[in-house]
Amino acid sequence: MSDYGHDLVFGSFVTPSAGNPDRTVGVAVLAEQVGLDLVTFQDHPYQPAFLDTWTLLSFVAARTSRVHLSANVTNLPLRPPAVLARSVASLDLLSGGRVSLGLGAGAFWDAIEAMGGRRLTPGQGVRALEEAIEVIRQVWDVEARGGVRVDGEFYRVVGAKRGPAPAHPVPIWLGAYKPRMLQLTGRRADGWLPTLGYLQPGDLSRGNAIIDEAAQQAGRSAQDVRRLLNISGQFSAVGRGPLNGPAEQWAEELAELALGEGVGTFILGSDDPDDLRRFAGEVAPAVRELVAAERDRGAAPTPAQPAQERSPAESARERTPEPVAAPPARASRATTTGGAFAVVPTPDDGVRRSEQQVWDESTRPTGPAPDPERTYTPQEQATGAHLVQIHDGLRAELAQIHDLIEQVAAGEIDAGAARSHINTMTMRQNRWTLGVYCESYCRIVTTHHTIEDQSFFPRLRARDPRLGPVVDRLEQEHHVIHDVLEGVDRALVAYVGSPDGLAELRTAVDLLTDALLSHLSYEERELVEPLARLGIA
């Protein structure tokens, strides 16, 4: 068992569906919005139901600014390596160094042959892949003298000019399962990228051992090869099996894979927006905390150190607060625009922690239904996306409040310190007006760009009077939430004088959780599309 000490990376594996291309791109953009590090797409050029992967990667690169991108994995038999090298380098330059190269030796040979590709045996596929890696790396090596020269069995390049060089050292990850492919991974690749569903018990350990030995024989370190893993599962209230349960269970299982099997990158195969939100907002932070806690204790297993018998999840569980649950997906108004509007509001499943209700949700008005024929520019959609991002920050602050309460309960900090911290949070400073949400966001992102909070709602009313009832209700809920926050503050003050008041404090925070998550979901449901349609930024 091994922990290679790699920083943890979390990504998504999005289906490149051609049936609804706007939604495909929207899911990829959402992955960046919720904080994932990586977006990947499978590459099957012979599949007419899929968008071309490299075209899609280029389009998504233009729609994003931070997230890294890769094919998972590139179908080498249908993509000549010299041309592929320049495609990768070009996209890496255009995206500011955000591209990785996943490579596969090929599968589905009937379909490959039908598209004009050459059918290869498994052994031939491995040899062809090694030759391709040599071609690609020579094309990228602009400092070497002379042209690219590879006189191989499958690929022959005789003096092609080198370049362009990528913007950053592009890692090459191999989708590998059999011993010869694993040995090639250890000798030449920067990462191993299998899919968990295709592995049998013990395959990760056996694969790591083969890669490590091959790396050592090639004069490399085992740490030179990142271990990535495609995963899939289901979020549910109770555990029903591996990666089938609450976010806490997912975090524990992935932490075990990181510490025990050396996995440094987890890529979730799901097109469900709520799965991505839970994975990024609940699972990823918890895995990072569990792994960091074990590594800090000096007990994390390494290639030269046997694993401890105690579970890392067990050792850190007492310190890890229960994550705030994000609601599962349901149909949203943003998907009723014929696929043209891709911003997905955060849904609300109606689960409540508190027995108290601060308002009647059934009386909430709704705005006009979007025009299914309407199209939106990326700039128009960005406004609604910004609102979701701002709300995600408020949801993160809510999780911090829960964490603070748990620290108070554990005696790690006192109630006064928790109160002081809560009072500095954005949710206490923005007076619960949407205009100041936007002002706060823009102040950070666009260098103190100000938006008049007193003019925001009036502008919505003026441009579409049908939104008046929705805006009125949102303003009312802003005041209610402010009062609920004051209740949390009073409970903290009371707890200082009466340490047995922890139950009342938790009750107040539960009520805040119910009110805030419900309100933010309602606001997004009603406003992300009008913000784009009305041009209010």
Side-chain angles (χ1 to χ4, degrees), residues 234-367:
Q234 182 175 345
F235 289 103
S236 55
V238 296
R240 297 187 175 93
L243 295 182
N244 188 338
E248 181 182 18
Q249 175 188 326
W250 279 60
E252 292 175 352
E253 293 176 7
L254 297 188
E256 296 287 354
L257 288 169
L259 293 165
E261 304 289 358
V263 178
T265 299
F266 296 97
I267 304 172
L268 177 63
S270 177
D271 300 324
D272 186 327
D274 185 63
D275 284 351
L276 298 183
R277 293 184 186 279
R278 285 177 179 253
F279 190 58
E282 299 179 45
V283 176
V287 175
R288 287 190 170 105
E289 181 175 349
L290 289 167
V291 171
E294 197 70 9
R295 286 174 175 172
D296 287 345
R297 284 157 42 94
T302 65
Q305 178 182 354
Q308 304 295 312
E309 294 183 1
R310 191 180 184 201
S311 159
E314 292 174 350
S315 66
R317 186 177 298 146
E318 293 182 359
R319 321 178 31 204
T320 307
E322 180 182 357
V324 179
R330 63 175 175 83
S332 70
R333 290 161 52 82
T335 61
T336 64
T337 58
F341 189 70
V343 180
V344 181
T346 307
D348 178 7
D349 68 351
V351 173
R352 300 293 178 258
R353 294 169 175 251
S354 174
E355 296 180 358
Q356 182 179 351
Q357 294 183 347
V358 294
W359 50 56
D360 183 355
E361 295 176 3
S362 67
T363 63
R364 281 171 167 164
T366 59

Side-chain angles (χ1 to χ4, degrees), residues 89-266:
S90 298
L91 186 55
D92 196 55
L93 288 165
L94 292 166
S95 66
R98 294 190 286 128
V99 177
S100 301
L101 177 57
L103 278 177
F108 306 103
W109 290 103
D110 289 342
I112 290 172
E113 198 170 37
M115 288 283 288
R118 177 182 175 183
R119 182 186 291 269
L120 301 177
T121 66
Q124 289 174 327
V126 176
R127 297 198 300 275
L129 179 56
E130 186 159 16
E131 291 177 10
I133 293 173
E134 180 62 26
V135 171
I136 291 167
R137 290 221 163 105
Q138 284 198 33
V139 170
W140 292 344
D141 185 7
V142 297
E143 300 299 324
R145 301 183 64 178
V148 176
R149 294 191 178 275
V150 176
D151 188 10
E153 177 184 359
F154 303 95
Y155 299 110
R156 187 168 179 264
V157 184
V158 287
K161 294 184 181 297
R162 299 175 185 266
H168 85 301
V170 173
I172 295 178
W173 304 329
L174 300 189
Y177 297 92
K178 301 298 184 180
R180 282 178 293 189
M181 280 288 289
L182 294 167
Q183 290 165 358
L184 174 59
T185 303
R187 289 195 308 271
R188 301 298 305 274
D190 305 298
W192 177 32
L193 177 53
T195 296
L196 184 60
Y198 295 161
L199 298 174
Q200 298 298 318
D203 279 355
L204 280 174
S205 295
R206 287 188 286 270
N208 280 333
I210 294 171
I211 291 170
D212 293 352
E213 182 179 1
Q216 183 178 11
Q217 291 177 352
R220 310 176 70 204
S221 166
Q223 281 80 4
D224 292 340
V225 184
R226 173 172 282 273
R227 317 304 157 108
L228 307 94
L229 189 64
N230 293 319
I231 61 172
S232 60
Q234 182 175 345
F235 289 103
S236 55
V238 296
R240 297 187 175 93
L243 295 182
N244 188 338
E248 181 182 18
Q249 175 188 326
W250 279 60
E252 292 175 352
E253 293 176 7
L254 297 188
E256 296 287 354
L257 288 169
L259 293 165
E261 304 289 358
V263 178
T265 299
F266 296 97

